[in-house]
Amino acid sequence: MESECIYNLLQLPANVEPPAVEELEQGEKKKYLQPDSRKNPKFQELQKVLMEWINGTLFREHIVVQNLEEDLFDGLILHHLLQKLAAITLEVEEIALTASSQKRKVSLVLDALSRCLQLEESSAKWSVESIFNKDLLATLHLLVAMAKHFQADLALPADVQVEVLTIESTKNGLKSGKSVEQLTDGRDSDQQSKVDVFDELFKLAPEKVNAVKEAIMNFVNKKMERLGLSVKNIDTQFADGVILILLIGQLEGYFLNLKDFFLNPSSPAEMLHNVNLAMDLLKEADLLSYPANPQDIVNGDPKAILRVLYSLFSKYKAKEMAEGTQTEAGI
C-alpha cells in the first residue's frame, strides 16, 4: 500500500504501469522517461533524425524504421546497420522468431558494436536487456553513439536532455528518484561558429542571401556547362541529389556508375539515397566544411543546401586562386 502511495505522486507515462515490488530483484533499477521529456521538440527531433539516418543507410535493403521503440528490439535492423556501417556480418538467423533467439541476436550484435565503438560494457548506457525490452532511452543512447562513431557529421540536435525517473528495489522496499540524462552534447565552439555563419546570414542579412546564391550558382553552372546542365534555382534543383553528385564528379574528375544512384529519382527515399551518397563522396574527399543533414537537403532547406555548396565553392575557389598565383609567378 505504501508503494502505491509513492507511485501516485510520481509522473509515469500514461501507458506505463509502475512495476510491482516482486518484478524488480533487489538492487535492480528501472528507468522511465518523464512525459514532458517525451514531448520535448528537441527529443522528438532527435528521434526523427536518427530514423531518417537509419532509413537512408538501409535504403537498398528496403528497410523502413517507423518507431525506434518497436522496430529495433529484436536485433534485425541493428545487425543490418552493423553490416552496412562496419562491414561485419555475424553468424545469426536473419529473422529470429523466438524470444530466446532474438535476445541471443541482440547480444551478439551489441558485443560486436561495443568492439567497434571501443566501449567497455560497464561504460555503455544500454544493455541486452534494455534494448530487448524496448527501452527508448537505452536505444537512443546506442544510436547516438553509433551515429557519432560511423557518421560524425550527422547533424544531431545539440544538447538534448531528458528527465528520468529511476525506481530501485532495495531491502527496505522501492526507492525512487529523478535525474537528468544527456543524450547529445552541446556543439563545440568550432562547429557552432560554422553553423552560425549561415544562421546569421539568413537572420541578420537576408538581402545578402541572394548575392551568395548568385555567386555559387555562377560557379556551379561554369562547372556543369560541359554536361549541358544549368542551375536556375538552388533551393529546388539540389533536393534530389543528382546535380550535386554530378557536380562533385566534375570537380573531382570522375563519373559515378549510373547503377550507384538514381538519375531520375521518383520518391523521397530515392532522393535521400542520392543525397546520402553525395555526402559520403564529400566526406571521402574532405570537402565538407560545414555540417548538414541530408534530409534537410531533400526537404529543400536553403541553409543546408548552401552549407554544402559553399563548402565546395570556397575550397575550389581557393584552389583556383592558388593555381592562378603559381601561373603568374611562372611556377
Side-chain angles (χ1 to χ4, degrees):
M1 190 68 180
E2 183 180 349
S3 62
E4 290 180 6
C5 294
I6 293 174
Y7 285 125
N8 288 335
L9 299 175
L10 299 176
Q11 274 194 300
L12 284 173
N15 62 336
V16 174
E17 290 293 327
V21 176
E22 60 272 14
E23 290 180 5
L24 294 178
E25 295 181 5
Q26 188 168 322
E28 186 181 354
K29 295 180 181 180
K30 195 171 183 66
K31 291 182 178 180
Y32 295 94
L33 279 170
Q34 293 291 69
D36 288 346
S37 288
R38 285 179 175 265
K39 297 174 185 175
N40 186 310
K42 289 176 71 174
F43 179 72
Q44 294 176 343
E45 176 66 13
L46 176 62
Q47 293 179 76
K48 176 174 175 285
V49 170
L50 289 171
M51 279 193 285
E52 289 169 352
W53 172 61
I54 294 171
N55 291 337
T57 301
L58 300 180
F59 167 73
R60 289 210 176 270
E61 282 80 1
H62 304 290
I63 289 175
V64 178
V65 172
Q66 297 179 319
N67 186 302
L68 295 178
E69 283 177 286
E70 297 294 333
D71 295 348
L72 273 68
F73 80 97
D74 62 358
L76 173 66
I77 291 172
L78 289 175
H79 187 215
H80 277 275
L81 283 173
L82 184 67
Q83 290 174 308
K84 186 73 173 178
L85 298 171
I88 295 174
T89 300
L90 302 174
E91 293 294 328
V92 294
E93 301 171 61
E94 173 62 16
I95 300 177
L97 298 177
T98 66
S100 59
S101 59
Q102 290 171 345
K103 205 167 184 179
R104 175 180 173 273
K105 186 171 185 175
V106 172
S107 178
L108 292 172
V109 171
L110 292 186
D111 283 345
L113 280 171
S114 293
R115 290 193 294 273
C116 289
L117 302 176
Q118 299 181 330
L119 278 178
E120 296 292 335
E121 186 177 351
S122 59
S123 64
K125 296 180 179 179
W126 57 86
S127 65
V128 174
E129 289 291 336
S130 60
I131 298 299
F132 183 71
N133 289 329
K134 305 179 183 181
D135 184 320
L136 179 58
L137 187 61
T139 302
L140 288 173
H141 275 304
L142 172 61
L143 292 175
V144 168
M146 291 174 65
K148 288 169 69 175
H149 180 81
F150 292 111
Q151 189 169 342
D153 66 331
L154 184 65
L156 297 173
D159 198 29
V160 179
Q161 298 178 333
V162 290
E163 189 176 10
V164 176
L165 171 68
T166 302
I167 299 174
E168 180 181 4
S169 176
T170 70
K171 62 181 180 181
N172 296 321
L174 294 176
K175 175 184 175 184
S176 66
K178 291 182 180 179
S179 61
V180 173
E181 282 203 28
Q182 193 87 23
L183 284 166
T184 63
D185 301 325
R187 289 193 180 103
D188 58 43
S189 57
D190 180 57
Q191 183 185 23
Q192 186 68 52
S193 65
K194 287 181 178 179
V195 174
D196 284 349
V197 169
F198 292 93
D199 288 341
E200 294 303 310
L201 174 66
F202 277 76
K203 183 167 52 176
L204 301 179
E207 72 280 359
K208 294 183 180 179
V209 174
N210 288 335
V212 173
K213 287 183 178 179
E214 185 176 350
I216 291 176
M217 198 156 55
N218 290 338
F219 164 77
V220 171
N221 285 332
K222 183 179 177 182
K223 302 300 178 183
M224 298 298 290
E225 61 184 1
R226 71 188 73 175
L227 296 180
L229 298 172
S230 65
V231 173
K232 296 180 181 179
N233 189 321
I234 283 180
D235 295 349
T236 60
Q237 287 184 262
F238 285 90
D240 64 8
V242 175
I243 290 181
L244 183 56
I245 289 172
L246 296 174
L247 174 62
I248 295 168
Q250 287 297 295
L251 293 171
E252 290 290 283
Y254 61 77
F255 282 98
L256 278 181
N257 191 314
L258 292 179
K259 294 180 180 179
D260 292 335
F261 67 102
F262 297 95
L263 190 59
N264 297 295
S266 58
S267 68
E270 292 181 357
M271 294 164 66
L272 183 61
H273 169 81
N274 285 352
V275 175
N276 275 323
L277 175 60
M279 301 297 275
D280 288 341
L281 296 173
L282 289 170
K283 285 185 290 182
E284 288 174 8
D286 195 26
L287 293 173
L288 194 61
S289 303
Y290 297 85
N293 185 347
Q295 188 63 51
D296 289 341
I297 294 174
V298 172
N299 293 340
D301 184 323
K303 281 188 283 188
I305 294 168
L306 278 182
R307 285 183 183 122
V308 172
L309 293 179
Y310 189 77
S311 294
L312 289 168
F313 174 78
S314 58
K315 291 208 172 186
Y316 276 91
K317 277 296 181 182
K319 184 178 178 181
E320 288 174 2
M321 291 177 63
E323 290 173 350
T325 302
Q326 289 179 353
T327 301
E328 291 177 6
I331 298 175

